[in-house]
Amino acid sequence: MLLSGEPVTSPTLEAIYTRLLAHFSRLHGPLAVRPWWPIFGDDPAFEMLVGAVLVQQTRWEAVEQVVQRLLAADLLSPVALVQVEVADLGPLLRPVAFYPQKASGLRALAAYIVTGYQGRTATLLARPLEELRAELLALPRIGPETCDVTMLYGGGHPVFVVDAYTRRLFARVGPAPHQHEPERWWRDRYAQVRQTIEVTLAHPVPAEPPVALYAEFHAQINEVCVRYCLARPRCDGPPSRRVYSRQDGRESYLDRADGCPLREICRYYREEQHDAASRGSSGRKRGKPA
């Protein structure tokens, strides 16, 4: 337990990464072998893009149901999807959030890939990084996070994905360079946070190629936030039993009962422990003498 005079040091991103990796083991493999982002069909690049659009403001479990439904209907390719009327596609996307708008957006994306890239999403995603980012951001239903997650997992580009889990975890754990202003992890704009993380990671973990590091780190952040660092944290465990994906072998660590792997270096956890100790001490002082 944290003592009142014990200093709270700021963990490095490397320390966060290595602790998560030791707890969950490696989660992400090459796209053609076993990516962390679940892939079920034979057009992984397009399936990645579709999933990245569908998961906006939606739990992955619902997205996975829709992906399986599209796969069963032979609609998980640009050439097939562009032939479907938006009115017919919409009901297939339930229960994802904003499914009518996502139906028209996916239809437009499919048409763009068919017209400009002969239906080959992988050709689009193989474009140079900055040109691809600008091109994707100009398309419907694609914002910075959707763009970067598609570029990283679908195209193998070295971009760190910043999502709400990333902001929440870093604001609580408190790594440099914003250890004294943790609210900046929430306040700064998307591009600022992404660039801060990429620059910080350029030195602590030089042995791992950026693409592999960014993909694995993002996967680890998502897992710890799904299991422990929830809106109402489960720092001491047990982990959430949420089934994040139906693929076999993805949740072997759920039998662990040792709590969040970041507790010992987490600013939020240490402050909570200190506050609890202070409350307990004050309660004892207010009690009747023996």
Side-chain angles (χ1 to χ4, degrees):
M1 181 173 294
L2 181 66
L3 301 177
S4 59
E6 184 179 344
V8 178
T9 58
S10 176
T12 63
L13 292 184
E14 181 182 17
I16 294 172
Y17 178 67
T18 53
R19 281 175 176 266
L20 291 176
L21 197 62
H23 184 92
F24 294 115
S25 298
R26 194 162 291 276
L27 300 170
H28 179 70
L31 189 62
V33 181
R34 184 187 177 276
W36 168 77
W37 189 284
I39 297 293
F40 300 94
D42 56 6
D43 188 352
F46 186 65
E47 185 176 332
M48 261 290 319
L49 179 58
V50 170
V53 169
L54 293 178
V55 81
Q56 296 165 4
Q57 300 185 46
T58 302
R59 287 169 69 102
W60 177 257
E61 296 90 315
V63 173
E64 197 161 288
Q65 293 176 23
V66 171
V67 168
Q68 296 278 25
R69 195 178 301 145
L70 293 174
L71 188 61
D74 292 325
L75 293 177
L76 210 51
S77 74
V79 174
L81 200 60
V82 78
Q83 301 178 50
V84 180
E85 296 294 331
V86 171
D88 296 325
L89 178 60
L92 293 176
L93 305 189
R94 291 180 177 176
V96 302
F98 310 111
Y99 68 88
Q101 296 93 324
K102 290 178 180 178
S104 61
L106 288 178
R107 175 69 165 64
L109 289 174
Y112 182 85
I113 295 168
V114 167
T115 301
Y117 294 93
Q118 297 77 48
R120 300 185 182 93
T121 311
T123 303
L124 165 65
L125 298 184
R127 296 203 63 200
L129 190 154
E130 293 303 332
E131 294 178 17
L132 175 59
R133 175 178 280 124
E135 187 169 357
L136 289 176
L137 289 174
L139 296 175
R141 304 303 307 179
I142 297 184
E145 181 185 336
T146 302
C147 171
D148 285 354
V149 78
T150 302
M151 291 175 65
L152 175 63
Y153 288 106
H157 291 278
V159 291
F160 196 95
V161 178
V162 177
D163 54 18
Y165 289 149
T166 305
R167 293 179 185 267
R168 177 199 296 169
L169 184 72
F170 288 175
R172 286 178 177 172
V173 177
H178 301 322
Q179 66 270 34
H180 302 302
E181 299 178 277
E183 70 280 356
R184 286 192 60 181
W185 292 111
W186 284 113
R187 189 183 69 222
D188 285 357
R189 293 191 304 175
Y190 181 95
Q192 289 177 287
V193 178
R194 175 176 55 78
Q195 291 167 5
T196 295
I197 294 172
E198 290 178 0
V199 169
T200 306
L201 285 176
H203 303 291
V205 196
E208 197 159 357
V211 172
L213 172 61
Y214 295 167
E216 185 65 50
F217 205 166
H218 176 253
Q220 296 283 339
I221 288 170
N222 275 252
E223 291 294 336
V224 76
C225 286
V226 165
R227 303 303 172 195
Y228 300 102
C229 201
L230 288 74
R232 180 176 294 180
R234 295 186 175 208
C235 303
D236 292 317
S240 166
R241 305 299 295 186
R242 176 181 169 190
V243 179
Y244 195 47
S245 175
R246 296 287 177 181
Q247 291 182 322
D248 293 337
R250 294 177 64 90
E251 285 130 4
S252 58
Y253 46 78
L254 284 182
D255 291 333
R256 299 184 62 152
D258 47 353
C260 176
L262 301 178
R263 286 181 303 173
E264 293 180 2
I265 61 173
C266 178
R267 176 191 56 80
Y268 172 89
Y269 182 74
R270 289 185 168 214
E271 289 176 355
E272 287 293 301
Q273 292 289 301
H274 180 262
D275 291 346
S278 298
R279 289 193 296 270
S281 175
S282 298
R284 287 192 295 272
K285 290 179 181 178
R286 289 194 297 269
K288 293 181 180 180

